[in-house]
Amino acid sequence: MNTETCDPAELAALREIFAPRPEASPPAGWEAVRLFEAEHGIMLPEPYRTFVAEVCDGLRAGPPFYGLLPFAQTPPDWGSDRPERLLSEPFPLSSTWMWENDEEDEEARSEQELEARMDAVFDHGSLLLGTDGCGMYWHLVVTGPQRGHVWLIDEYGAMPFGTAPSTSPMPGTPGFTGWATHWAQGRPWFAGPPGDDPEEAA
């Protein structure tokens, strides 16, 4: 995954998905993107960076269910009493972590340590793309080894979109373009029984 240079083919695919939609928000422009990056000490990963600057900065139709957020916003249900979001701090995970079922982690860490680690998953190194409701938030990782990947994070745990079926219940093409294309094709986020996904069969 190339997160430093915008692939023209990926940008064209995103433009085809979003630009024709009348409810799509206008692009934010390069000045707004660079000001946001300077404020947070980051650089947004490509092709998302060029997408919000030149193509579209939000879409009420999705993805996700309650719409693709403008790049500098959080969803209305995020809450005002949450910890400060630190986009320049590396996103702490590299694989799925379901903390509701992680008995080994619970035994090894104090409650305070677990809460601090969970807070970092929600608030470090990622940009909020939107929500599917019920506390299910989609994040684009902007800092750390998972930079450019999209993750679903909720009260039960965190998992990446776009990995092999054997390593995640959300197989597909990783990255923002893969995530958006998956949605545009009307495909479910979670894998069904083997053979149900045409992308796996291809």
Side-chain angles (χ1 to χ4, degrees), residues 71-94:
F71 78 97
Q73 292 188 15
T74 53
D77 65 348
W78 185 249
S80 58
D81 57 346
R82 286 182 180 259
E84 180 185 1
R85 306 206 72 246
L86 302 174
L87 274 60
S88 61
E89 289 291 323
F91 182 73
L93 300 182
S94 58

Side-chain angles (χ1 to χ4, degrees), residues 1 9 13 29 55 59 74 98 124 145 151 153 156 180 190 196:
M1 183 190 304
V55 179
L59 180 69
T74 53
M98 303 307 292
H124 288 184
W151 282 64
I153 305 173
Y156 302 108
F190 294 92
D196 275 8

Side-chain angles (χ1 to χ4, degrees), residues 66-189:
Y66 287 99
L68 180 66
L69 288 169
F71 78 97
Q73 292 188 15
T74 53
D77 65 348
W78 185 249
S80 58
D81 57 346
R82 286 182 180 259
E84 180 185 1
R85 306 206 72 246
L86 302 174
L87 274 60
S88 61
E89 289 291 323
F91 182 73
L93 300 182
S94 58
S95 60
T96 297
W97 179 34
M98 303 307 292
W99 44 76
E100 281 291 307
N101 302 320
D102 197 342
E103 295 179 4
E104 183 177 325
D105 207 2
E106 286 182 9
E107 292 175 3
R109 298 171 187 266
S110 68
E111 185 176 341
Q112 291 80 6
E113 287 175 319
L114 279 172
E115 286 182 1
R117 189 179 179 208
M118 290 164 58
D119 285 344
V121 172
F122 277 99
D123 296 313
H124 288 184
S126 70
L127 193 74
L128 279 155
L129 295 173
T131 177
D132 276 330
C134 299
M136 300 172 66
Y137 300 101
W138 291 94
H139 295 239
L140 174 68
V141 178
V142 299
T143 312
Q146 284 287 299
R147 175 177 158 83
H149 287 265
V150 175
W151 282 64
L152 179 63
I153 305 173
D154 62 19
E155 62 180 315
Y156 302 108
M159 65 182 70
F161 169 80
T163 55
S166 60
T167 60
S168 172
M170 291 195 294
T173 302
F176 180 74
T177 305
W179 179 73
T181 301
H182 195 96
W183 167 80
Q185 292 172 346
R187 297 167 58 203
W189 295 121

Side-chain angles (χ1 to χ4, degrees), residues 34-52:
R34 292 184 179 115
L35 283 172
F36 179 84
E37 291 175 333
E39 178 184 351
H40 291 279
I42 62 163
M43 181 174 285
L44 297 175
E46 294 287 4
Y48 179 81
R49 185 174 191 254
T50 300
F51 167 75
V52 295

